[in-house]
Amino acid sequence: MLYSFLRVIIRALLFIINGKPHYLNRENLPKGNYILVGPHRTWFDPVYYALAASPKKFSFMAKKELFKNPIIRFILNHVNGYPVDRDNPGPSVIKKPVRLLRNSDLSTIIFPSGSRYSDDLKGGAVVIAKMANVPIIPTVYQGPLSFKALFSRQQTTVAFGEPINIDRKMKLSDENQAVVESEMKSAFDKLDKQINPEFHYEIPEKKEK
């Protein structure tokens, strides 16, 4: 219930702040569950992903530190968020999304790079897709990269690529995963060029603590 309520509120707030977003290729979204994967470019791109694919609902991983705040923990628990230890992820980082994809009506959002400060893809999304028997949908976000920039009313666009289906008989070798990851990267590049042929994203430097 809270998920649907917050989605309406957030959609309205973003419209007031930044205007109407553009969503491309929604026909590529399957009817069943799936995994949205994309390059992680800003802390709010998962919000735009989820809004673009509405009315589908999503679960998502959030770093465990966020759950230390009781207010944030309450919200995350009610919008299908679950904690992950980025330093020591453990088997639950695979088992939890697989279970949700198999046994609920929730799709999931995964950023294969795991961070806004890298474009190196990790294999978790491929493993989860194979085990849950769901397709991977390449997705990209172009638009403001900071909350302050949202008020500039810069155009925001989310584009969905064609589904990538993982053969359940495929061996999860490093070589096979690299092939799928290369396919995802190619899809991201194609979608970026569809939105803006001159688009170029620069990975930000990570601030030292």
Side-chain angles (χ1 to χ4, degrees), residues 1-195:
M1 180 65 73
L2 183 59
Y3 184 106
S4 298
F5 174 75
L6 286 176
R7 183 168 58 189
V8 171
I9 298 299
I10 292 171
R11 189 192 301 277
L13 287 174
L14 288 175
F15 178 80
I16 293 170
I17 293 171
N18 187 248
K20 185 178 180 180
H22 290 181
Y23 303 143
L24 304 180
N25 314 327
R26 277 178 49 88
E27 66 276 7
N28 287 332
L29 297 175
K31 292 184 178 179
N33 282 346
Y34 50 86
I35 303 173
L36 291 184
V37 299
H40 201 1
R41 292 172 175 166
T42 177
W43 62 268
F44 49 79
D45 49 14
V47 175
Y48 271 103
Y49 279 20
L51 292 177
S54 177
K56 189 64 179 175
K57 294 183 179 181
F58 293 86
S59 66
F60 62 94
M61 303 176 187
K63 59 183 181 180
K64 68 175 186 178
E65 290 80 5
L66 293 174
F67 287 79
K68 294 179 180 179
N69 182 301
I71 297 176
I72 296 177
R73 182 173 65 245
F74 175 84
I75 294 173
L76 288 173
N77 286 337
H78 285 79
V79 295
N80 311 316
Y82 53 92
V84 60
D85 185 339
R86 288 184 175 180
D87 297 324
N88 301 287
S92 64
V93 76
I94 298 294
K95 291 181 179 179
K96 179 73 172 183
V98 168
R99 184 167 62 249
L100 289 170
L101 287 164
R102 282 179 171 177
N103 302 323
S104 75
D105 62 351
L106 298 175
S107 287
T108 196
I109 297 171
I110 296 176
F111 295 98
S113 66
S115 168
R116 288 176 284 157
Y117 306 103
S118 172
D119 62 356
D120 294 328
L121 304 190
K122 301 175 178 64
V126 179
V127 176
I128 293 167
K130 181 178 184 294
M131 293 180 65
N133 195 27
V134 298
I136 291 172
I137 308 298
T139 311
V140 300
Y141 164 94
Q142 286 187 27
L145 299 178
S146 68
F147 183 73
K148 181 179 179 180
L150 280 172
F151 290 84
S152 69
R153 300 185 74 81
Q154 177 187 345
Q155 179 61 61
T156 298
T157 304
V158 174
F160 301 107
E162 296 181 1
I164 298 174
N165 294 295
I166 309 300
D167 187 345
R168 297 205 72 184
K169 296 180 181 179
M170 182 186 78
K171 184 179 179 181
L172 288 173
S173 64
D174 291 342
E175 182 180 0
N176 286 338
Q177 291 198 52
V179 170
V180 180
E181 289 159 15
S182 177
E183 188 176 353
M184 285 193 285
K185 280 191 173 183
S186 295
F188 299 157
D189 291 341
K190 182 178 179 181
L191 291 170
D192 276 328
K193 287 182 172 60
Q194 180 187 7
I195 299 171

